[in-house]
Structures are given as C-alpha cells and as structure tokens.
Amino acid sequence: IQLMPEEQQTLTDAGITVNEDGQTVMAFTKLMSEPGEIEIVYGENRFLWAHGNDATLAHHGNNRAAFSLDLAAAGAAVAEEEVTDPTDPSVEVEEDSVNVPDAIQDPSGGQDCTVNFCDNELTTGFLQKYRINVPDGQDPETCDGCTIDMELIYDGEAWVSIGFSLNGRMIGSEAVIGIPGSTTLKYNLNGYTDN
C-alpha cells in the first residue's frame, strides 16, 4: 500500500477511536468524485473491506472481502465470492475473474440513505454505516459536490479499512485505512505483501 500524496488527503471529519465497549470506530466524510481517484457513484459500486488482528497495520490475512453496494437502491448490497490472494501458492486463481452473485439483498430495509445512515454488515462483528450527502439544488445522480459519510464499527481493537475498486480486486484500488491511536488516511493499493 502507498499513502496518497498530501493534496489527495481530502477526508473531513476523519478519525478512529476505540469506544468503551471495546469496538474500533472509524468515521470520515469523502467526496464521491475527486480528480484522479475512483469515483463513488449513485448506483452500483465495488468496495473492499479489511481489518487487522490488532492496532498495528500489517497483512490482513483472511480478514478481507470484496462486495458490491448499489447506493441508488437504498442500500442494496451483495457480497462477492471470496476474493483470493493470487500470491497465495495454495490457491489457483483465474486472472481477472470476479464472481458476483445474481441475488441482491437490501440491508437498509428500504431506508433512504440520503436522509438516514444505512447499515451494511460486512461480516460478523464488522458493520459499515453510510449516508450520501446531496447539496441543496443537486440531484444525487449528477451531483457536483456530493459526499458520503462512512463509519466502520469493528468488535475489537484493530486497524480497519474500506476500499474503492473498479473490479473487486485489491491492486489498482484505493482505500481509507484507520489505525487506532494514529490516523485515518487515504491509500493507493498497488501491491501485495505477506506482512
């Protein structure tokens, strides 16, 4: 992973804490469209999530997955089949294969995610909350200046991340990573590592 340059560190209200219940909570607001970055659209998006085993940024092991989230369908989310690590010699991977199930579930319960926070359970003990902010006079489908508020809530103390992807793969994607006791920043995901 590579830290994005200072001029691309445009998150607002960004932070990470461990609450009294021992949960790691990362929150931030991000512009949905930024020059030179993967756009978050009012429609279907591909995201990646990952978390560590503790507060030290290190390899996520199996604590990661890709998923699709349709922001225009009031929070319809669908988990993709497990994204395998092509550097793992025990796993055969077809190049550029990303499997997306046909069925889409609506974890928001039909809630309007431009008004209220919608919830999306990423995996057991790891919750994503999000809300799209549409400036007055704008339409979410063609919005200039729309932002997305996000919270990730993990049951335990660990680094957490949410990635933005064009194809559901790590390489070539971007992520917001929060490290308890440290920072919440934007990164380019440009390679694999075992540590």
mmCIF file with all atom_site columns, all heavy atoms in Angstrom, residues 1 38 48 50 59-60 64 66 83-86 164-175 188-193:
data_model
loop_
_atom_site.group_PDB
_atom_site.id
_atom_site.type_symbol
_atom_site.label_atom_id
_atom_site.label_alt_id
_atom_site.label_comp_id
_atom_site.label_asym_id
_atom_site.label_entity_id
_atom_site.label_seq_id
_atom_site.pdbx_PDB_ins_code
_atom_site.Cartn_x
_atom_site.Cartn_y
_atom_site.Cartn_z
_atom_site.occupancy
_atom_site.B_iso_or_equiv
_atom_site.pdbx_formal_charge
_atom_site.auth_seq_id
_atom_site.auth_comp_id
_atom_site.auth_asym_id
_atom_site.auth_atom_id
_atom_site.pdbx_PDB_model_num
ATOM 1   N N   . ILE A 1 1   ? 0.852   -1.189  0.000   1.00 0.00 ? 1   ILE A N   1
ATOM 2   C CA  . ILE A 1 1   ? 0.000   0.000   0.000   1.00 0.00 ? 1   ILE A CA  1
ATOM 3   C C   . ILE A 1 1   ? 0.884   1.235   0.000   1.00 0.00 ? 1   ILE A C   1
ATOM 4   O O   . ILE A 1 1   ? 2.027   1.182   0.446   1.00 0.00 ? 1   ILE A O   1
ATOM 5   C CB  . ILE A 1 1   ? -0.972  0.010   1.203   1.00 0.00 ? 1   ILE A CB  1
ATOM 6   C CG1 . ILE A 1 1   ? -0.218  0.103   2.520   1.00 0.00 ? 1   ILE A CG1 1
ATOM 7   C CG2 . ILE A 1 1   ? -1.906  -1.168  1.168   1.00 0.00 ? 1   ILE A CG2 1
ATOM 8   C CD1 . ILE A 1 1   ? -1.131  0.285   3.722   1.00 0.00 ? 1   ILE A CD1 1
ATOM 9   N N   . ILE A 1 38  ? -10.879 6.896   -7.883  1.00 0.00 ? 38  ILE A N   1
ATOM 10  C CA  . ILE A 1 38  ? -12.030 6.088   -8.258  1.00 0.00 ? 38  ILE A CA  1
ATOM 11  C C   . ILE A 1 38  ? -13.291 6.775   -7.748  1.00 0.00 ? 38  ILE A C   1
ATOM 12  O O   . ILE A 1 38  ? -13.390 7.115   -6.576  1.00 0.00 ? 38  ILE A O   1
ATOM 13  C CB  . ILE A 1 38  ? -11.896 4.667   -7.686  1.00 0.00 ? 38  ILE A CB  1
ATOM 14  C CG1 . ILE A 1 38  ? -10.695 3.962   -8.329  1.00 0.00 ? 38  ILE A CG1 1
ATOM 15  C CG2 . ILE A 1 38  ? -13.186 3.870   -7.903  1.00 0.00 ? 38  ILE A CG2 1
ATOM 16  C CD1 . ILE A 1 38  ? -10.328 2.642   -7.698  1.00 0.00 ? 38  ILE A CD1 1
ATOM 17  N N   . LEU A 1 48  ? -14.101 -2.881  -1.080  1.00 0.00 ? 48  LEU A N   1
ATOM 18  C CA  . LEU A 1 48  ? -13.309 -3.894  -0.398  1.00 0.00 ? 48  LEU A CA  1
ATOM 19  C C   . LEU A 1 48  ? -13.309 -3.550  1.083   1.00 0.00 ? 48  LEU A C   1
ATOM 20  O O   . LEU A 1 48  ? -13.269 -2.379  1.434   1.00 0.00 ? 48  LEU A O   1
ATOM 21  C CB  . LEU A 1 48  ? -11.858 -3.885  -0.889  1.00 0.00 ? 48  LEU A CB  1
ATOM 22  C CG  . LEU A 1 48  ? -11.604 -3.891  -2.392  1.00 0.00 ? 48  LEU A CG  1
ATOM 23  C CD1 . LEU A 1 48  ? -10.137 -3.592  -2.672  1.00 0.00 ? 48  LEU A CD1 1
ATOM 24  C CD2 . LEU A 1 48  ? -12.004 -5.219  -2.988  1.00 0.00 ? 48  LEU A CD2 1
ATOM 25  N N   . ALA A 1 50  ? -11.374 -4.694  4.896   1.00 0.00 ? 50  ALA A N   1
ATOM 26  C CA  . ALA A 1 50  ? -10.330 -5.493  5.542   1.00 0.00 ? 50  ALA A CA  1
ATOM 27  C C   . ALA A 1 50  ? -10.153 -4.971  6.958   1.00 0.00 ? 50  ALA A C   1
ATOM 28  O O   . ALA A 1 50  ? -10.507 -3.837  7.273   1.00 0.00 ? 50  ALA A O   1
ATOM 29  C CB  . ALA A 1 50  ? -9.007  -5.396  4.779   1.00 0.00 ? 50  ALA A CB  1
ATOM 30  N N   . HIS A 1 59  ? -0.407  -7.267  7.404   1.00 0.00 ? 59  HIS A N   1
ATOM 31  C CA  . HIS A 1 59  ? -1.203  -8.052  6.460   1.00 0.00 ? 59  HIS A CA  1
ATOM 32  C C   . HIS A 1 59  ? -2.516  -8.482  7.115   1.00 0.00 ? 59  HIS A C   1
ATOM 33  O O   . HIS A 1 59  ? -2.541  -8.877  8.274   1.00 0.00 ? 59  HIS A O   1
ATOM 34  C CB  . HIS A 1 59  ? -0.413  -9.273  5.999   1.00 0.00 ? 59  HIS A CB  1
ATOM 35  C CG  . HIS A 1 59  ? -1.036  -9.978  4.844   1.00 0.00 ? 59  HIS A CG  1
ATOM 36  N ND1 . HIS A 1 59  ? -1.922  -11.020 5.006   1.00 0.00 ? 59  HIS A ND1 1
ATOM 37  C CD2 . HIS A 1 59  ? -0.928  -9.777  3.506   1.00 0.00 ? 59  HIS A CD2 1
ATOM 38  C CE1 . HIS A 1 59  ? -2.328  -11.429 3.820   1.00 0.00 ? 59  HIS A CE1 1
ATOM 39  N NE2 . HIS A 1 59  ? -1.741  -10.703 2.895   1.00 0.00 ? 59  HIS A NE2 1
ATOM 40  N N   . HIS A 1 60  ? -3.595  -8.426  6.354   1.00 0.00 ? 60  HIS A N   1
ATOM 41  C CA  . HIS A 1 60  ? -4.928  -8.726  6.877   1.00 0.00 ? 60  HIS A CA  1
ATOM 42  C C   . HIS A 1 60  ? -5.245  -10.210 6.951   1.00 0.00 ? 60  HIS A C   1
ATOM 43  O O   . HIS A 1 60  ? -6.248  -10.602 7.534   1.00 0.00 ? 60  HIS A O   1
ATOM 44  C CB  . HIS A 1 60  ? -5.994  -8.043  6.023   1.00 0.00 ? 60  HIS A CB  1
ATOM 45  C CG  . HIS A 1 60  ? -5.811  -8.260  4.563   1.00 0.00 ? 60  HIS A CG  1
ATOM 46  N ND1 . HIS A 1 60  ? -5.875  -9.499  3.952   1.00 0.00 ? 60  HIS A ND1 1
ATOM 47  C CD2 . HIS A 1 60  ? -5.542  -7.379  3.576   1.00 0.00 ? 60  HIS A CD2 1
ATOM 48  C CE1 . HIS A 1 60  ? -5.663  -9.376  2.658   1.00 0.00 ? 60  HIS A CE1 1
ATOM 49  N NE2 . HIS A 1 60  ? -5.442  -8.096  2.396   1.00 0.00 ? 60  HIS A NE2 1
ATOM 50  N N   . ARG A 1 64  ? -10.695 -10.131 4.959   1.00 0.00 ? 64  ARG A N   1
ATOM 51  C CA  . ARG A 1 64  ? -10.968 -9.198  3.860   1.00 0.00 ? 64  ARG A CA  1
ATOM 52  C C   . ARG A 1 64  ? -11.944 -9.832  2.879   1.00 0.00 ? 64  ARG A C   1
ATOM 53  O O   . ARG A 1 64  ? -12.095 -11.051 2.815   1.00 0.00 ? 64  ARG A O   1
ATOM 54  C CB  . ARG A 1 64  ? -9.715  -8.741  3.156   1.00 0.00 ? 64  ARG A CB  1
ATOM 55  C CG  . ARG A 1 64  ? -8.808  -9.624  2.338   1.00 0.00 ? 64  ARG A CG  1
ATOM 56  C CD  . ARG A 1 64  ? -9.122  -10.922 2.013   1.00 0.00 ? 64  ARG A CD  1
ATOM 57  N NE  . ARG A 1 64  ? -8.161  -11.715 1.274   1.00 0.00 ? 64  ARG A NE  1
ATOM 58  C CZ  . ARG A 1 64  ? -8.471  -12.934 0.961   1.00 0.00 ? 64  ARG A CZ  1
ATOM 59  N NH1 . ARG A 1 64  ? -9.622  -13.444 1.284   1.00 0.00 ? 64  ARG A NH1 1
ATOM 60  N NH2 . ARG A 1 64  ? -7.620  -13.676 0.312   1.00 0.00 ? 64  ARG A NH2 1
ATOM 61  N N   . ALA A 1 66  ? -14.456 -8.549  -0.966  1.00 0.00 ? 66  ALA A N   1
ATOM 62  C CA  . ALA A 1 66  ? -14.998 -7.552  -1.877  1.00 0.00 ? 66  ALA A CA  1
ATOM 63  C C   . ALA A 1 66  ? -16.517 -7.651  -1.826  1.00 0.00 ? 66  ALA A C   1
ATOM 64  O O   . ALA A 1 66  ? -17.070 -8.716  -1.525  1.00 0.00 ? 66  ALA A O   1
ATOM 65  C CB  . ALA A 1 66  ? -14.510 -7.811  -3.298  1.00 0.00 ? 66  ALA A CB  1
ATOM 66  N N   . VAL A 1 83  ? -12.570 -13.148 -2.478  1.00 0.00 ? 83  VAL A N   1
ATOM 67  C CA  . VAL A 1 83  ? -11.509 -12.726 -3.383  1.00 0.00 ? 83  VAL A CA  1
ATOM 68  C C   . VAL A 1 83  ? -10.228 -13.379 -2.887  1.00 0.00 ? 83  VAL A C   1
ATOM 69  O O   . VAL A 1 83  ? -9.796  -13.147 -1.767  1.00 0.00 ? 83  VAL A O   1
ATOM 70  C CB  . VAL A 1 83  ? -11.364 -11.183 -3.394  1.00 0.00 ? 83  VAL A CB  1
ATOM 71  C CG1 . VAL A 1 83  ? -10.187 -10.784 -4.256  1.00 0.00 ? 83  VAL A CG1 1
ATOM 72  C CG2 . VAL A 1 83  ? -12.644 -10.551 -3.888  1.00 0.00 ? 83  VAL A CG2 1
ATOM 73  N N   . THR A 1 84  ? -9.666  -14.221 -3.720  1.00 0.00 ? 84  THR A N   1
ATOM 74  C CA  . THR A 1 84  ? -8.476  -14.938 -3.308  1.00 0.00 ? 84  THR A CA  1
ATOM 75  C C   . THR A 1 84  ? -7.229  -14.115 -3.559  1.00 0.00 ? 84  THR A C   1
ATOM 76  O O   . THR A 1 84  ? -7.209  -13.233 -4.407  1.00 0.00 ? 84  THR A O   1
ATOM 77  C CB  . THR A 1 84  ? -8.368  -16.279 -4.057  1.00 0.00 ? 84  THR A CB  1
ATOM 78  O OG1 . THR A 1 84  ? -8.420  -16.015 -5.441  1.00 0.00 ? 84  THR A OG1 1
ATOM 79  C CG2 . THR A 1 84  ? -9.489  -17.216 -3.655  1.00 0.00 ? 84  THR A CG2 1
ATOM 80  N N   . ASP A 1 85  ? -6.227  -14.404 -2.805  1.00 0.00 ? 85  ASP A N   1
ATOM 81  C CA  . ASP A 1 85  ? -4.950  -13.709 -2.908  1.00 0.00 ? 85  ASP A CA  1
ATOM 82  C C   . ASP A 1 85  ? -4.078  -14.450 -3.910  1.00 0.00 ? 85  ASP A C   1
ATOM 83  O O   . ASP A 1 85  ? -3.654  -15.575 -3.659  1.00 0.00 ? 85  ASP A O   1
ATOM 84  C CB  . ASP A 1 85  ? -4.287  -13.686 -1.525  1.00 0.00 ? 85  ASP A CB  1
ATOM 85  C CG  . ASP A 1 85  ? -2.974  -12.926 -1.519  1.00 0.00 ? 85  ASP A CG  1
ATOM 86  O OD1 . ASP A 1 85  ? -2.438  -12.609 -2.599  1.00 0.00 ? 85  ASP A OD1 1
ATOM 87  O OD2 . ASP A 1 85  ? -2.481  -12.655 -0.412  1.00 0.00 ? 85  ASP A OD2 1
ATOM 88  N N   . PRO A 1 86  ? -3.807  -13.850 -5.088  1.00 0.00 ? 86  PRO A N   1
ATOM 89  C CA  . PRO A 1 86  ? -3.032  -14.552 -6.103  1.00 0.00 ? 86  PRO A CA  1
ATOM 90  C C   . PRO A 1 86  ? -1.600  -14.828 -5.698  1.00 0.00 ? 86  PRO A C   1
ATOM 91  O O   . PRO A 1 86  ? -0.916  -15.597 -6.355  1.00 0.00 ? 86  PRO A O   1
ATOM 92  C CB  . PRO A 1 86  ? -3.092  -13.625 -7.319  1.00 0.00 ? 86  PRO A CB  1
ATOM 93  C CG  . PRO A 1 86  ? -3.465  -12.305 -6.810  1.00 0.00 ? 86  PRO A CG  1
ATOM 94  C CD  . PRO A 1 86  ? -4.218  -12.524 -5.525  1.00 0.00 ? 86  PRO A CD  1
ATOM 95  N N   . PHE A 1 164 ? -12.145 1.237   -2.363  1.00 0.00 ? 164 PHE A N   1
ATOM 96  C CA  . PHE A 1 164 ? -12.952 1.608   -3.525  1.00 0.00 ? 164 PHE A CA  1
ATOM 97  C C   . PHE A 1 164 ? -12.277 0.979   -4.730  1.00 0.00 ? 164 PHE A C   1
ATOM 98  O O   . PHE A 1 164 ? -11.090 1.191   -4.957  1.00 0.00 ? 164 PHE A O   1
ATOM 99  C CB  . PHE A 1 164 ? -13.027 3.136   -3.649  1.00 0.00 ? 164 PHE A CB  1
ATOM 100 C CG  . PHE A 1 164 ? -13.320 3.790   -2.317  1.00 0.00 ? 164 PHE A CG  1
ATOM 101 C CD1 . PHE A 1 164 ? -12.304 4.380   -1.578  1.00 0.00 ? 164 PHE A CD1 1
ATOM 102 C CD2 . PHE A 1 164 ? -14.600 3.773   -1.792  1.00 0.00 ? 164 PHE A CD2 1
ATOM 103 C CE1 . PHE A 1 164 ? -12.556 4.954   -0.340  1.00 0.00 ? 164 PHE A CE1 1
ATOM 104 C CE2 . PHE A 1 164 ? -14.862 4.350   -0.553  1.00 0.00 ? 164 PHE A CE2 1
ATOM 105 C CZ  . PHE A 1 164 ? -13.853 4.942   0.176   1.00 0.00 ? 164 PHE A CZ  1
ATOM 106 N N   . SER A 1 165 ? -13.034 0.194   -5.499  1.00 0.00 ? 165 SER A N   1
ATOM 107 C CA  . SER A 1 165 ? -12.437 -0.627  -6.537  1.00 0.00 ? 165 SER A CA  1
ATOM 108 C C   . SER A 1 165 ? -13.240 -0.553  -7.831  1.00 0.00 ? 165 SER A C   1
ATOM 109 O O   . SER A 1 165 ? -14.454 -0.369  -7.802  1.00 0.00 ? 165 SER A O   1
ATOM 110 C CB  . SER A 1 165 ? -12.392 -2.084  -6.056  1.00 0.00 ? 165 SER A CB  1
ATOM 111 O OG  . SER A 1 165 ? -11.848 -2.925  -7.031  1.00 0.00 ? 165 SER A OG  1
ATOM 112 N N   . LEU A 1 166 ? -12.571 -0.727  -8.947  1.00 0.00 ? 166 LEU A N   1
ATOM 113 C CA  . LEU A 1 166 ? -13.259 -0.816  -10.231 1.00 0.00 ? 166 LEU A CA  1
ATOM 114 C C   . LEU A 1 166 ? -13.656 -2.252  -10.558 1.00 0.00 ? 166 LEU A C   1
ATOM 115 O O   . LEU A 1 166 ? -14.609 -2.492  -11.281 1.00 0.00 ? 166 LEU A O   1
ATOM 116 C CB  . LEU A 1 166 ? -12.374 -0.258  -11.354 1.00 0.00 ? 166 LEU A CB  1
ATOM 117 C CG  . LEU A 1 166 ? -12.069 1.237   -11.266 1.00 0.00 ? 166 LEU A CG  1
ATOM 118 C CD1 . LEU A 1 166 ? -11.053 1.632   -12.334 1.00 0.00 ? 166 LEU A CD1 1
ATOM 119 C CD2 . LEU A 1 166 ? -13.355 2.052   -11.408 1.00 0.00 ? 166 LEU A CD2 1
ATOM 120 N N   . ASN A 1 167 ? -12.910 -3.230  -10.008 1.00 0.00 ? 167 ASN A N   1
ATOM 121 C CA  . ASN A 1 167 ? -13.119 -4.618  -10.402 1.00 0.00 ? 167 ASN A CA  1
ATOM 122 C C   . ASN A 1 167 ? -13.199 -5.609  -9.247  1.00 0.00 ? 167 ASN A C   1
ATOM 123 O O   . ASN A 1 167 ? -13.232 -6.810  -9.474  1.00 0.00 ? 167 ASN A O   1
ATOM 124 C CB  . ASN A 1 167 ? -12.001 -5.046  -11.360 1.00 0.00 ? 167 ASN A CB  1
ATOM 125 C CG  . ASN A 1 167 ? -10.630 -4.928  -10.727 1.00 0.00 ? 167 ASN A CG  1
ATOM 126 O OD1 . ASN A 1 167 ? -10.496 -4.726  -9.525  1.00 0.00 ? 167 ASN A OD1 1
ATOM 127 N ND2 . ASN A 1 167 ? -9.601  -5.053  -11.548 1.00 0.00 ? 167 ASN A ND2 1
ATOM 128 N N   . GLY A 1 168 ? -13.203 -5.137  -8.009  1.00 0.00 ? 168 GLY A N   1
ATOM 129 C CA  . GLY A 1 168 ? -13.265 -6.044  -6.874  1.00 0.00 ? 168 GLY A CA  1
ATOM 130 C C   . GLY A 1 168 ? -11.928 -6.632  -6.467  1.00 0.00 ? 168 GLY A C   1
ATOM 131 O O   . GLY A 1 168 ? -11.855 -7.453  -5.568  1.00 0.00 ? 168 GLY A O   1
ATOM 132 N N   . ARG A 1 169 ? -10.872 -6.216  -7.097  1.00 0.00 ? 169 ARG A N   1
ATOM 133 C CA  . ARG A 1 169 ? -9.516  -6.685  -6.782  1.00 0.00 ? 169 ARG A CA  1
ATOM 134 C C   . ARG A 1 169 ? -8.762  -5.610  -6.009  1.00 0.00 ? 169 ARG A C   1
ATOM 135 O O   . ARG A 1 169 ? -9.020  -4.420  -6.177  1.00 0.00 ? 169 ARG A O   1
ATOM 136 C CB  . ARG A 1 169 ? -8.744  -7.006  -8.063  1.00 0.00 ? 169 ARG A CB  1
ATOM 137 C CG  . ARG A 1 169 ? -9.329  -8.130  -8.860  1.00 0.00 ? 169 ARG A CG  1
ATOM 138 C CD  . ARG A 1 169 ? -8.802  -9.415  -8.323  1.00 0.00 ? 169 ARG A CD  1
ATOM 139 N NE  . ARG A 1 169 ? -9.322  -10.532 -9.085  1.00 0.00 ? 169 ARG A NE  1
ATOM 140 C CZ  . ARG A 1 169 ? -9.382  -11.742 -8.600  1.00 0.00 ? 169 ARG A CZ  1
ATOM 141 N NH1 . ARG A 1 169 ? -8.960  -11.991 -7.391  1.00 0.00 ? 169 ARG A NH1 1
ATOM 142 N NH2 . ARG A 1 169 ? -9.865  -12.719 -9.330  1.00 0.00 ? 169 ARG A NH2 1
ATOM 143 N N   . MET A 1 170 ? -7.810  -6.043  -5.223  1.00 0.00 ? 170 MET A N   1
ATOM 144 C CA  . MET A 1 170 ? -7.049  -5.104  -4.403  1.00 0.00 ? 170 MET A CA  1
ATOM 145 C C   . MET A 1 170 ? -6.147  -4.201  -5.246  1.00 0.00 ? 170 MET A C   1
ATOM 146 O O   . MET A 1 170 ? -6.177  -2.976  -5.100  1.00 0.00 ? 170 MET A O   1
ATOM 147 C CB  . MET A 1 170 ? -6.209  -5.877  -3.386  1.00 0.00 ? 170 MET A CB  1
ATOM 148 C CG  . MET A 1 170 ? -5.363  -4.992  -2.509  1.00 0.00 ? 170 MET A CG  1
ATOM 149 S SD  . MET A 1 170 ? -4.325  -5.984  -1.424  1.00 0.00 ? 170 MET A SD  1
ATOM 150 C CE  . MET A 1 170 ? -3.037  -4.794  -1.099  1.00 0.00 ? 170 MET A CE  1
ATOM 151 N N   . ILE A 1 171 ? -5.345  -4.803  -6.117  1.00 0.00 ? 171 ILE A N   1
ATOM 152 C CA  . ILE A 1 171 ? -4.395  -4.000  -6.896  1.00 0.00 ? 171 ILE A CA  1
ATOM 153 C C   . ILE A 1 171 ? -5.152  -3.047  -7.812  1.00 0.00 ? 171 ILE A C   1
ATOM 154 O O   . ILE A 1 171 ? -6.068  -3.436  -8.518  1.00 0.00 ? 171 ILE A O   1
ATOM 155 C CB  . ILE A 1 171 ? -3.426  -4.891  -7.681  1.00 0.00 ? 171 ILE A CB  1
ATOM 156 C CG1 . ILE A 1 171 ? -2.528  -5.648  -6.699  1.00 0.00 ? 171 ILE A CG1 1
ATOM 157 C CG2 . ILE A 1 171 ? -2.577  -4.072  -8.649  1.00 0.00 ? 171 ILE A CG2 1
ATOM 158 C CD1 . ILE A 1 171 ? -1.527  -6.573  -7.337  1.00 0.00 ? 171 ILE A CD1 1
ATOM 159 N N   . GLY A 1 172 ? -4.770  -1.775  -7.753  1.00 0.00 ? 172 GLY A N   1
ATOM 160 C CA  . GLY A 1 172 ? -5.421  -0.741  -8.547  1.00 0.00 ? 172 GLY A CA  1
ATOM 161 C C   . GLY A 1 172 ? -6.558  -0.056  -7.820  1.00 0.00 ? 172 GLY A C   1
ATOM 162 O O   . GLY A 1 172 ? -7.175  0.865   -8.349  1.00 0.00 ? 172 GLY A O   1
ATOM 163 N N   . SER A 1 173 ? -6.840  -0.498  -6.615  1.00 0.00 ? 173 SER A N   1
ATOM 164 C CA  . SER A 1 173 ? -7.910  0.102   -5.823  1.00 0.00 ? 173 SER A CA  1
ATOM 165 C C   . SER A 1 173 ? -7.353  1.175   -4.902  1.00 0.00 ? 173 SER A C   1
ATOM 166 O O   . SER A 1 173 ? -6.144  1.391   -4.832  1.00 0.00 ? 173 SER A O   1
ATOM 167 C CB  . SER A 1 173 ? -8.634  -0.981  -5.010  1.00 0.00 ? 173 SER A CB  1
ATOM 168 O OG  . SER A 1 173 ? -9.253  -1.901  -5.871  1.00 0.00 ? 173 SER A OG  1
ATOM 169 N N   . GLU A 1 174 ? -8.254  1.840   -4.194  1.00 0.00 ? 174 GLU A N   1
ATOM 170 C CA  . GLU A 1 174 ? -7.891  2.870   -3.217  1.00 0.00 ? 174 GLU A CA  1
ATOM 171 C C   . GLU A 1 174 ? -8.597  2.529   -1.921  1.00 0.00 ? 174 GLU A C   1
ATOM 172 O O   . GLU A 1 174 ? -9.621  1.840   -1.936  1.00 0.00 ? 174 GLU A O   1
ATOM 173 C CB  . GLU A 1 174 ? -8.336  4.240   -3.718  1.00 0.00 ? 174 GLU A CB  1
ATOM 174 C CG  . GLU A 1 174 ? -7.695  4.601   -5.040  1.00 0.00 ? 174 GLU A CG  1
ATOM 175 C CD  . GLU A 1 174 ? -8.432  5.665   -5.838  1.00 0.00 ? 174 GLU A CD  1
ATOM 176 O OE1 . GLU A 1 174 ? -9.514  6.120   -5.410  1.00 0.00 ? 174 GLU A OE1 1
ATOM 177 O OE2 . GLU A 1 174 ? -7.923  6.032   -6.906  1.00 0.00 ? 174 GLU A OE2 1
ATOM 178 N N   . ALA A 1 175 ? -8.073  3.002   -0.803  1.00 0.00 ? 175 ALA A N   1
ATOM 179 C CA  . ALA A 1 175 ? -8.680  2.671   0.478   1.00 0.00 ? 175 ALA A CA  1
ATOM 180 C C   . ALA A 1 175 ? -8.510  3.805   1.479   1.00 0.00 ? 175 ALA A C   1
ATOM 181 O O   . ALA A 1 175 ? -7.586  4.611   1.381   1.00 0.00 ? 175 ALA A O   1
ATOM 182 C CB  . ALA A 1 175 ? -8.054  1.398   1.048   1.00 0.00 ? 175 ALA A CB  1
ATOM 183 N N   . ASN A 1 188 ? -3.288  4.278   -1.852  1.00 0.00 ? 188 ASN A N   1
ATOM 184 C CA  . ASN A 1 188 ? -3.383  3.526   -3.098  1.00 0.00 ? 188 ASN A CA  1
ATOM 185 C C   . ASN A 1 188 ? -2.976  2.092   -2.788  1.00 0.00 ? 188 ASN A C   1
ATOM 186 O O   . ASN A 1 188 ? -2.003  1.862   -2.080  1.00 0.00 ? 188 ASN A O   1
ATOM 187 C CB  . ASN A 1 188 ? -2.436  4.094   -4.154  1.00 0.00 ? 188 ASN A CB  1
ATOM 188 C CG  . ASN A 1 188 ? -2.927  5.411   -4.698  1.00 0.00 ? 188 ASN A CG  1
ATOM 189 O OD1 . ASN A 1 188 ? -4.078  5.541   -5.109  1.00 0.00 ? 188 ASN A OD1 1
ATOM 190 N ND2 . ASN A 1 188 ? -2.064  6.414   -4.698  1.00 0.00 ? 188 ASN A ND2 1
ATOM 191 N N   . LEU A 1 189 ? -3.752  1.137   -3.306  1.00 0.00 ? 189 LEU A N   1
ATOM 192 C CA  . LEU A 1 189 ? -3.450  -0.282  -3.107  1.00 0.00 ? 189 LEU A CA  1
ATOM 193 C C   . LEU A 1 189 ? -2.809  -0.782  -4.386  1.00 0.00 ? 189 LEU A C   1
ATOM 194 O O   . LEU A 1 189 ? -3.470  -1.084  -5.347  1.00 0.00 ? 189 LEU A O   1
ATOM 195 C CB  . LEU A 1 189 ? -4.731  -1.043  -2.785  1.00 0.00 ? 189 LEU A CB  1
ATOM 196 C CG  . LEU A 1 189 ? -5.536  -0.509  -1.608  1.00 0.00 ? 189 LEU A CG  1
ATOM 197 C CD1 . LEU A 1 189 ? -6.812  -1.326  -1.413  1.00 0.00 ? 189 LEU A CD1 1
ATOM 198 C CD2 . LEU A 1 189 ? -4.697  -0.498  -0.339  1.00 0.00 ? 189 LEU A CD2 1
ATOM 199 N N   . ASN A 1 190 ? -1.483  -0.841  -4.363  1.00 0.00 ? 190 ASN A N   1
ATOM 200 C CA  . ASN A 1 190 ? -0.764  -1.137  -5.590  1.00 0.00 ? 190 ASN A CA  1
ATOM 201 C C   . ASN A 1 190 ? 0.097   -2.377  -5.535  1.00 0.00 ? 190 ASN A C   1
ATOM 202 O O   . ASN A 1 190 ? 0.954   -2.582  -6.372  1.00 0.00 ? 190 ASN A O   1
ATOM 203 C CB  . ASN A 1 190 ? 0.082   0.072   -6.007  1.00 0.00 ? 190 ASN A CB  1
ATOM 204 C CG  . ASN A 1 190 ? 0.918   0.604   -4.867  1.00 0.00 ? 190 ASN A CG  1
ATOM 205 O OD1 . ASN A 1 190 ? 1.068   -0.053  -3.844  1.00 0.00 ? 190 ASN A OD1 1
ATOM 206 N ND2 . ASN A 1 190 ? 1.451   1.815   -5.023  1.00 0.00 ? 190 ASN A ND2 1
ATOM 207 N N   . GLY A 1 191 ? -0.131  -3.234  -4.543  1.00 0.00 ? 191 GLY A N   1
ATOM 208 C CA  . GLY A 1 191 ? 0.649   -4.456  -4.478  1.00 0.00 ? 191 GLY A CA  1
ATOM 209 C C   . GLY A 1 191 ? 0.275   -5.306  -3.290  1.00 0.00 ? 191 GLY A C   1
ATOM 210 O O   . GLY A 1 191 ? -0.456  -4.871  -2.403  1.00 0.00 ? 191 GLY A O   1
ATOM 211 N N   . TYR A 1 192 ? 0.748   -6.530  -3.309  1.00 0.00 ? 192 TYR A N   1
ATOM 212 C CA  . TYR A 1 192 ? 0.517   -7.485  -2.230  1.00 0.00 ? 192 TYR A CA  1
ATOM 213 C C   . TYR A 1 192 ? 1.767   -7.597  -1.382  1.00 0.00 ? 192 TYR A C   1
ATOM 214 O O   . TYR A 1 192 ? 2.870   -7.443  -1.857  1.00 0.00 ? 192 TYR A O   1
ATOM 215 C CB  . TYR A 1 192 ? 0.186   -8.868  -2.781  1.00 0.00 ? 192 TYR A CB  1
ATOM 216 C CG  . TYR A 1 192 ? -1.125  -8.939  -3.504  1.00 0.00 ? 192 TYR A CG  1
ATOM 217 C CD1 . TYR A 1 192 ? -1.169  -8.962  -4.891  1.00 0.00 ? 192 TYR A CD1 1
ATOM 218 C CD2 . TYR A 1 192 ? -2.318  -9.020  -2.801  1.00 0.00 ? 192 TYR A CD2 1
ATOM 219 C CE1 . TYR A 1 192 ? -2.375  -9.062  -5.564  1.00 0.00 ? 192 TYR A CE1 1
ATOM 220 C CE2 . TYR A 1 192 ? -3.533  -9.104  -3.463  1.00 0.00 ? 192 TYR A CE2 1
ATOM 221 C CZ  . TYR A 1 192 ? -3.554  -9.136  -4.845  1.00 0.00 ? 192 TYR A CZ  1
ATOM 222 O OH  . TYR A 1 192 ? -4.741  -9.229  -5.499  1.00 0.00 ? 192 TYR A OH  1
ATOM 223 N N   . THR A 1 193 ? 1.557   -7.930  -0.123  1.00 0.00 ? 193 THR A N   1
ATOM 224 C CA  . THR A 1 193 ? 2.671   -8.226  0.762   1.00 0.00 ? 193 THR A CA  1
ATOM 225 C C   . THR A 1 193 ? 2.213   -9.319  1.723   1.00 0.00 ? 193 THR A C   1
ATOM 226 O O   . THR A 1 193 ? 1.023   -9.483  1.970   1.00 0.00 ? 193 THR A O   1
ATOM 227 C CB  . THR A 1 193 ? 3.144   -6.989  1.538   1.00 0.00 ? 193 THR A CB  1
ATOM 228 O OG1 . THR A 1 193 ? 4.253   -7.363  2.360   1.00 0.00 ? 193 THR A OG1 1
ATOM 229 C CG2 . THR A 1 193 ? 2.062   -6.398  2.406   1.00 0.00 ? 193 THR A CG2 1
#
